[in-house]
Amino acid sequence: METTRLLDAALRKAAAVWITPAGGRASLVWALWRDGALWIAVGGAEQTVPGLTDGAACTVTVRSPSTHSHLTEVAATARLTEPDPDTRTALAAARLNAELRCAQVFRVEPT
């Protein structure tokens, strides 16, 4: 899928995206691009994304890592998940090896 390749190329360099749950406001969040999906840690001592729930439809907006201009918007679905140990380690590494202190982790997949 062309969109997935575009996201893959952009998100290899960018660590933040805008996510807008259906009916909600856009939130700038740090995210990890892994296995064709964004992984977003929320709650606890981490970021908040009002309206992001299991099964929520949302829009992901990606800016160009080099020019910071609007690159693409894609429809996606958020799924509440328990990350496997490798993904949990990758999430911590994406936070510069900071301790991951989240209440929930969402896997946000382009639709």
Side-chain angles (χ1 to χ4, degrees):
M1 169 184 253
E2 184 62 33
T3 300
T4 302
R5 281 187 282 178
L6 181 63
L7 283 173
D8 186 58
L11 292 171
R12 285 176 190 257
K13 297 177 184 173
V17 297
W18 291 91
I19 187 161
T20 309
R25 294 184 339 181
S27 297
L28 181 63
V29 298
W30 71 268
L32 170 67
W33 178 251
R34 181 180 174 92
D35 300 328
L38 287 168
W39 293 80
I40 301 173
V42 299
E46 296 293 341
Q47 61 204 352
T48 60
V49 182
L52 191 63
T53 58
D54 188 34
C58 53
T59 302
V60 176
T61 304
V62 181
R63 298 203 176 268
S64 167
S66 57
T67 65
H68 305 290
S69 61
H70 181 271
L71 185 60
T72 189
E73 280 185 5
V74 295
T77 302
R79 298 282 180 215
L80 184 60
T81 188
E82 181 60 40
D84 61 57
D86 288 342
T87 301
R88 186 168 280 284
T89 299
L91 281 165
R95 301 279 289 142
L96 301 177
N97 292 318
E99 181 182 343
L100 193 60
R101 298 177 294 158
C102 61
Q104 300 173 314
V105 175
F106 286 90
R107 180 181 167 98
V108 180
E109 297 182 52
T111 54

